[in-house]
């Protein structure tokens, strides 16, 4: 069952990537390096993507799962859900990167609900770990959104230092 | 499987919506002045007519017990209280619409199910209780009370008396549970706005602050006068400290003592992976019940209770290694329960409906865990502990299960219902609230 879900999720991810590549570039992608554009070239894509998702999942299991839960559903009133969350799927990837790097202690409503737990900052994660885990989160469960690149993480990290 | 579930939830949601719409007109009424229900209902004689739902409201209960859904889709219903007339007041948490902070459920035809919902109060919150002719209710920063008439109806819903104000409300554990004793005092939980008082909350490697500055105004139970207006910290006293967060609490009239259920700390594995593996994280620390005396210190954040070693252990943020025993200055729990199950409701049962074993015993509503991930979650049920004269006389057992609708809960979001508040009806029925879908359950005994 778990494997089935995983493979379904993977297929979903693949499909989402195709859609994403057709979309016009969001403002954030202007900062991407040539490396970030690799997913446009055939067979390499799935390998890369599979590797990214696997690495991203590993980062998720260690750093995120306890609060955001195995289904990305979070915990009502405490920990924000990632699955289905508007901000997670949105084009403002810098915002997500900033939350991972700086944590979150603001009490803001997320899709009309409030969540009261603090999120720890994760500056110890590398640019690659953050880009992997955000790509994983943006393309897991019911989420489908463009990948986050290392360059995007690097740019945000430079700004907040 | 997941799709089926979503479809079902959608149906439930849609169904719920039409119920809410149907009831909406009632909210507009002035609840305090609405005409009394015709022909005063004597709950004692009506109980015989109350029939459990065919599926016992989806609950699994001991033999002889049955359950019915009194109401559904009420929102985030937290603590509840039942009047001598059988009306239910439920406190609603979070953002509430005008006049819907407290819901009053009335059963006009005596079938045990609510058929009239009215509301009052514009603030979200958790705490609610009735004592000496007043309805007390809390927001996350203040406590209010409303004078009741002889039918336990609120006389002036728009003008409550503010009895306590300015309570600390930080990130997490912000709800204020309340209970009164028999000597004119009210007890308020002020939860610690932290997991373990680290310099940076929930962050691996961050040290525990010493002494923990949070404890001056939170992380304990405060005592105030039940009838004095506009009290704040200076008017009350810190009754007990070292309690991370208490949601379920009750006054035991047999031992004339306050009992509280602490939510134990989270994330031992995430924060200290070298000391605690995933299994240890799921099993530690215990959720603990304390019988409190004035001045007690339960030890948070410096210690936690290990139910396997049966010891208070020094927290890793404060130099602990999982084995070092803590100072004896901290009180021992009256009882320990499995980790992370989130006890949100505590009720000492004094009714006569249930069999003798339940008399004076403690019912505990476990909201259900999230911090056992990636292992399966626990809780999501109402437990029972036999008590006599304020002391447990046996092991705890699961009393009512099945709230989640799942065999195994993996992600918290998947649980259909989460038990939160408990109340006893005038006939001895046990009421349970759910803050996920807003269902109120009534559990009755019909085994005689």
């Amino acid at each position: 069952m778990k494997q089935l879900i995983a493979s379904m999720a993977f297929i979903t991810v693949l499909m989402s990537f195709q859609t994403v590549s057709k979309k016009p570039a969001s403002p954030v992608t202007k900062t991407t390096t040539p490396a970030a554009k690799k997913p446009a070239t055939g067979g390499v894509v799935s390998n890369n993507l599979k590797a990214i998702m696997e690495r991203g999942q590993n980062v998720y299991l260690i750093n995120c799962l306890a609060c955001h839960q195995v289904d990305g559903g979070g915990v009502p009133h405490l920990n924000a859900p990632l699955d289905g969350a508007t901000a997670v799927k949105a084009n403002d990837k810098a915002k997500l990167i900033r939350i991972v790097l700086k944590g979150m202690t603001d009490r803001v409503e997320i899709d009309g609900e409030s969540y009261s737990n603090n999120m720890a900052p994760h500056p110890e994660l590398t640019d690659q770990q953050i880009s992997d885990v955000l790509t994983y989160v943006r393309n897991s469960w019911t989420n489908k959104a463009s990948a986050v690149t290392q360059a995007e993480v690097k740019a945000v990290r430079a700004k907040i230092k | 499987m997941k799709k089926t579930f979503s479809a079902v939830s959608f149906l439930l949601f849609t169904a719920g919506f039409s119920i809410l719409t149907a009831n909406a007109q009632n909210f507009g009424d002035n609840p305090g002045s609405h005409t009394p229900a015709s022909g005063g209902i004597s709950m004692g004689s009506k109980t015989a007519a109350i029939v459990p739902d065919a599926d016992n409201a989806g609950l699994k209960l001991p033999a002889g017990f049955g359950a019915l859904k009194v109401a559904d889709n009420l929102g985030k219903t937290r603590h509840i209280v039942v009047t001598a007339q059988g009306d239910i007041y439920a406190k609603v948490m979070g953002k509430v619409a005008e006049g819907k902070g407290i819901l009053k459920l009335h059963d006009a035809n005596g079938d045990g199910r609510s058929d009239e919902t009215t509301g009052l109060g514009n603030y979200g919150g958790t705490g609610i209780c009735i004592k000496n002719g007043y309805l007390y209710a809390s927001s996350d920063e203040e406590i209010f009370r409303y004078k009741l008439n002889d039918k336990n109806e609120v006389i002036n819903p728009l003008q409550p008396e503010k009895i306590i104000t300015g309570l600390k409300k930080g990130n997490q554990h912000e709800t204020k549970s309340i209970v009164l004793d028999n000597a004119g005092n009210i007890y308020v939980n002020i939860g610690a706005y932290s997991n373990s008082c680290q310099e940076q909350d929930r962050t691996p490697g961050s040290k525990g602050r010493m002494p923990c500055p949070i404890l001056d105004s939170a992380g304990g139970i405060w005592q105030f006068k039940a009838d004095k207006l506009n009290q704040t910290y200076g008017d009350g006293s810190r009754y007990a400290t070292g309690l991370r967060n208490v949601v379920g609490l009750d006054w035991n009239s047999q031992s004339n003592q306050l009992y509280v259920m602490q939510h134990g700390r989270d994330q031992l594995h995430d924060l200290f992976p070298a000391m605690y593996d995933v299994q240890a994280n799921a099993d530690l620390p215990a959720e603990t019940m304390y019988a409190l005396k004035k001045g007690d210190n339960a030890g948070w954040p410096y210690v936690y209770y290990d139910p396997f070693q049966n010891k208070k252990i020094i927290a890793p943020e404060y130099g602990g290694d999982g084995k070092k025993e803590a100072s004896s200055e901290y009180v021992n729990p009256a009882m320990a329960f499995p980790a992370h199950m989130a006890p949100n409701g505590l009720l000492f049962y004094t009714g006569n409906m249930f069999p003798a074993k339940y008399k004076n015993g403690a019912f505990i509503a476990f909201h259900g865990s999230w911090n056992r991930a990636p292992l399966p979650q626990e809780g999501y049920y109402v437990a029972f502990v036999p008590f006599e004269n304020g002391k447990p006389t046996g092991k705890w057992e699961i009393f009512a299960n099945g709230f989640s609708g799942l065999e195994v809960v993996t992600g918290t979001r998947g649980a259909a219902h989460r038990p939160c508040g408990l109340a006893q009806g005038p006939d001895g029925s046990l009421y349970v609230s759910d803050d996920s879908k807003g269902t109120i359950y009534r559990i009755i005994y019909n085994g005689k």
Side-chain angles (χ1 to χ4, degrees):
Chain A
M1 183 63 184
K2 233 180 196 172
Q3 270 182 343
L4 179 69
I5 290 173
S7 55
M8 277 169 64
F10 181 63
I11 292 166
T12 319
V13 169
L14 282 181
M15 286 164 62
S16 72
F17 256 74
Q18 284 176 349
T19 340
V20 167
S21 58
K22 282 176 204 157
K23 279 184 188 164
S26 67
V28 180
T29 51
K30 282 177 191 159
T31 61
T32 57
T33 62
K37 285 176 188 161
K38 267 184 194 164
T41 53
V44 189
V45 178
S46 49
N47 280 340
N48 271 354
L49 183 60
K50 192 176 173 205
I52 290 170
M53 289 298 283
E54 278 176 3
R55 290 197 308 265
Q57 186 177 39
N58 284 335
V59 177
Y60 185 85
L61 293 177
I62 293 166
N63 298 282
C64 318
L65 176 134
C67 295
H68 293 291
Q69 304 279 282
V70 70
D71 61 356
V75 179
H77 323 314
L78 294 178
N79 307 327
L82 302 174
D83 178 27
T86 310
V88 169
K89 298 185 287 185
N91 284 332
D92 187 358
K93 293 185 257 183
K95 181 180 177 181
L96 300 178
I97 296 165
R98 222 165 21 240
I99 290 172
V100 173
L101 286 168
K102 298 284 284 180
M104 180 90 156
T105 54
D106 299 344
R107 304 222 23 172
V108 294
E109 281 196 1
I110 298 167
D111 295 333
E113 289 287 342
S114 64
Y115 299 89
S116 65
N117 268 359
N118 292 329
M119 173 170 157
H122 291 279
E124 77 284 1
L125 296 177
T126 64
D127 292 349
Q128 177 169 19
Q129 284 175 312
I130 292 176
S131 63
D132 287 346
V133 77
L134 285 176
T135 301
Y136 171 78
V137 162
R138 280 161 67 84
N139 293 284
S140 292
W141 317 297
T142 63
N143 291 345
K144 293 175 194 179
S146 62
V148 174
T149 67
Q150 285 185 55
E152 286 166 339
V153 178
K154 195 176 174 186
V156 174
R157 201 193 290 266
K159 261 188 236 165
I160 62 173
K161 257 180 185 168
Chain B
M1 177 62 189
K2 240 182 188 170
K3 278 241 170 89
T4 319
F5 185 74
S6 312
V8 171
S9 354
F10 180 69
L11 285 174
L12 284 172
F13 176 75
T14 319
F17 203 76
S18 44
I19 292 168
L20 274 180
T21 318
N23 280 348
Q25 63 203 45
N26 290 327
F27 288 120
D29 295 345
N30 184 346
S33 63
H34 73 259
T35 46
S38 52
I41 293 161
S42 151
M43 293 310 292
S45 63
K46 287 278 178 182
T47 306
I50 293 166
V51 180
D53 292 348
D55 66 345
N56 282 332
L59 301 185
K60 216 177 127 191
L61 300 161
F65 286 90
L68 52 141
K69 283 187 181 178
V70 174
D72 219 346
N73 298 295
L74 295 174
K76 295 164 187 166
T77 43
R78 300 280 285 178
H79 284 175
I80 49 174
V81 65
V82 184
T83 70
Q85 290 73 26
D87 290 331
I88 302 164
Y89 288 101
K91 188 74 199 78
V92 183
M93 181 173 76
K95 219 171 33 174
V96 296
E98 194 169 328
K100 293 180 192 175
I102 299 168
L103 299 179
K104 177 169 174 270
L105 311 179
H106 179 67
D107 169 20
N109 64 10
D111 68 351
R113 288 139 182 102
S114 166
D115 28 42
E116 184 192 306
T117 306
T118 50
L120 65 146
N122 297 330
Y123 49 94
T126 287
I128 195 157
C129 51
I130 287 180
K131 192 84 178 180
N132 298 333
Y134 284 92
L135 176 72
Y136 291 80
S138 69
S139 71
D140 292 343
E141 290 158 289
E142 300 181 309
I143 317 291
F144 302 91
R145 71 171 188 174
Y146 303 79
K147 184 92 184 101
L148 298 169
N149 66 17
D150 59 0
K151 294 187 178 66
N152 283 312
E153 295 161 340
V154 172
I155 294 167
N156 193 342
L158 297 177
Q159 286 173 312
E161 293 180 322
K162 187 185 287 183
I163 60 164
I164 307 166
T165 186
L167 299 178
K168 189 84 188 177
K169 174 199 177 189
N171 282 7
Q172 73 204 293
H173 308 148
E174 67 274 32
T175 62
K176 304 292 183 284
S177 296
I178 51 174
V179 70
L180 282 84
D181 63 15
N182 299 314
N185 299 303
I186 183 168
Y187 300 83
V188 183
N189 167 68
I190 306 175
Y193 40 97
S194 171
N195 174 37
S196 53
C197 209
Q198 290 173 287
E199 284 168 359
Q200 193 147 33
D201 192 31
R202 298 179 188 268
T203 303
S206 179
K207 279 189 214 150
R209 288 185 283 173
M210 188 69 204
C212 175
I214 290 170
L215 292 167
D216 69 339
S217 56
I221 302 287
W222 266 255
Q223 184 193 52
F224 296 94
K225 289 287 165 208
D227 59 357
K228 196 177 151 193
L229 303 189
N230 297 309
Q231 300 168 87
T232 187
Y233 283 101
D235 304 293
S237 64
R238 192 175 71 176
Y239 189 76
T241 188
L243 292 155
R244 180 175 173 272
N245 187 35
V246 167
V247 185
L249 77 183
D250 197 13
W251 188 264
N252 186 310
S253 289
Q254 267 200 320
S255 60
N256 206 32
Q257 199 171 4
L258 175 65
Y259 287 71
V260 301
M261 298 292 313
Q262 176 179 234
H263 282 218
R265 56 152 314 150
D266 301 326
Q267 291 182 283
L268 281 167
H269 171 68
D270 295 329
L271 302 175
F272 298 93
M275 264 182 252
Y276 301 90
D277 63 15
V278 165
Q279 185 68 51
N281 179 78
D283 292 341
L284 292 173
E287 300 288 51
T288 39
M289 174 196 278
Y290 296 96
L292 293 176
K293 296 186 299 293
K294 191 171 176 63
D296 277 351
N297 184 346
W300 180 91
Y302 314 118
V303 309
Y304 67 80
Y305 193 76
D306 181 326
F308 305 99
Q309 303 182 64
N310 294 315
K311 282 176 186 167
K312 290 161 293 188
I313 301 294
I314 297 174
E317 289 86 350
Y318 293 90
D321 59 359
K323 295 181 191 75
K324 275 188 223 163
E325 210 169 333
S327 154
S328 59
E329 72 188 279
Y330 305 117
V331 294
N332 279 315
M335 196 148 194
F337 299 84
H340 309 305
M341 300 206 303
N344 273 10
L346 172 66
L347 175 89
F348 288 103
Y349 184 79
T350 56
N352 294 317
M353 178 194 271
F354 290 4
K357 107 175 206 191
Y358 294 97
K359 186 92 175 188
N360 301 315
F363 286 101
I364 300 153
F366 285 105
H367 200 217
S369 70
W370 58 272
N371 207 238
R372 298 172 82 98
L375 300 178
Q377 303 298 345
E378 276 293 333
Y380 303 90
Y381 47 65
V382 176
F384 175 75
V385 188
F387 262 71
E388 198 51 57
N389 298 317
K391 293 224 169 1
T393 55
K395 289 185 175 157
W396 71 276
E397 63 192 38
I398 296 175
F399 174 74
N401 205 349
F403 292 90
S404 73
L406 301 167
E407 280 300 312
V408 178
V409 179
T410 47
T412 309
R413 186 171 66 169
H417 301 277
R418 302 183 75 188
C420 183
L422 297 169
Q424 184 183 306
D427 65 347
S429 297
L430 178 71
Y431 291 77
V432 185
S433 69
D434 144 52
D435 66 358
S436 184
K437 296 236 166 40
T439 302
I440 307 291
Y441 299 84
R442 178 174 178 174
I443 300 173
I444 57 176
Y445 184 69
N446 47 20
K448 281 171 230 172

